[in-house]
Amino acid sequence: MGESVTPRRISVHQALGGGPVADVLLWKRWYASVGVLVSATTLWILFEKAGYNLLSFVANVLFLLVVILFFWAKSASLLNRPFPPLPNLEIPEEIVAKAAGIIHVYANYALSIAREIVIDKNVKVFLQVVSGFYVASYIGSLCNFLTLVYIGVLLSLSVPLLYDKYQHHIDEKLCLAHKIIQEQYKKIDDAILKKIPLPSNKEKKTQ
């Protein structure tokens, strides 16, 4: 009767897709995780600290790649050696269709939010969107886009691993924080939002 039910442990690996990306984020393929971390750190130092230009970097890398492949192919034809092992340079239709489907879902979701704000005059959604844009603008004023991406890489390589190890304790803290936020939001909703007049259904139909 009074026993507490232990929450079922979530498989973080399965939640992340269960593929090679999940292995990298959870450091199951530590060599790949280290490679991502070192590459991201190197690029951040090059562009942010050393002042290297992104366009120049990409152009130089492609220049060296093309030169190496060209002379490799020329020498291979003269010395009867194998040609450079280039993969099949084409994008499969399945990947294009999958990417288009993802874009379609997010575009419809954004349009549905815009409809709730403009047509349905949903004040709650409006405040949530405005708050989100304000937070994004504030974060953008603290650091540039490259630093933000680098921080995102660091968080991606640390947060899933920490959550996988300390999931029970983190869930307890998140549930407590969620209850506090819900209580504060209910107070704001009762004190302010419910007092804002909204158009009735009859007025919407006449419009």
Side-chain angles (χ1 to χ4, degrees), residues 95-117:
I95 297 179
V96 176
K98 186 176 180 180
I102 295 174
I103 295 174
H104 177 261
V105 171
Y106 281 104
N108 284 337
Y109 179 68
L111 291 175
S112 66
I113 293 177
R115 176 183 176 83
E116 289 187 18
I117 295 175

Side-chain angles (χ1 to χ4, degrees), residues 184-203:
Q184 297 299 322
Y185 180 80
K186 189 175 183 303
K187 292 179 181 178
I188 296 175
D189 189 24
D190 294 336
I192 300 175
L193 298 181
K194 287 186 177 179
K195 295 181 180 180
I196 298 176
L198 297 176
S200 61
N201 294 328
K202 293 181 178 180
E203 292 178 356

Side-chain angles (χ1 to χ4, degrees), residues 28-200:
K28 295 184 181 297
R29 299 185 182 183
W30 63 270
Y31 51 90
S33 302
V34 171
V36 172
L37 180 60
V38 171
S39 300
T41 304
T42 303
L43 291 175
W44 182 76
I45 292 174
L46 279 176
F47 296 137
E48 186 66 20
K49 298 301 180 182
Y52 211 79
N53 186 271
L54 177 61
L55 182 59
S56 300
F57 176 79
V58 174
N60 290 333
V61 169
L62 293 178
F63 170 76
L64 291 176
L65 182 62
V66 170
V67 170
I68 291 172
L69 291 177
F70 176 78
F71 284 105
W72 187 351
K74 281 292 184 180
S75 61
S77 61
L78 294 174
L79 302 175
N80 294 325
R81 295 295 183 89
F83 286 95
L86 289 176
N88 189 14
L89 301 177
E90 63 179 13
I91 301 176
E93 294 183 1
E94 294 79 9
I95 297 179
V96 176
K98 186 176 180 180
I102 295 174
I103 295 174
H104 177 261
V105 171
Y106 281 104
N108 284 337
Y109 179 68
L111 291 175
S112 66
I113 293 177
R115 176 183 176 83
E116 289 187 18
I117 295 175
V118 178
I119 298 178
D120 298 337
K121 298 180 177 61
N122 193 323
V123 180
K124 296 180 181 179
V125 177
F126 169 74
L127 293 178
Q128 291 173 356
V129 172
V130 170
S131 301
F133 283 140
Y134 176 77
V135 172
S137 176
Y138 179 74
I139 295 175
S141 64
L142 298 177
C143 58
N144 57 24
F145 180 73
L146 182 61
T147 303
L148 190 62
V149 171
Y150 180 62
I151 293 173
V153 172
L154 295 181
L155 292 177
S156 300
L157 292 174
S158 57
V159 172
L161 181 63
L162 293 175
Y163 182 74
D164 188 46
K165 288 185 176 181
Y166 308 104
Q167 184 178 145
H168 179 68
H169 301 287
I170 294 175
D171 286 343
E172 289 181 351
K173 302 299 182 182
L174 289 177
C175 289
L176 180 60
H178 182 263
K179 290 180 181 178
I180 295 175
I181 293 174
Q182 287 291 97
E183 292 176 356
Q184 297 299 322
Y185 180 80
K186 189 175 183 303
K187 292 179 181 178
I188 296 175
D189 189 24
D190 294 336
I192 300 175
L193 298 181
K194 287 186 177 179
K195 295 181 180 180
I196 298 176
L198 297 176
S200 61

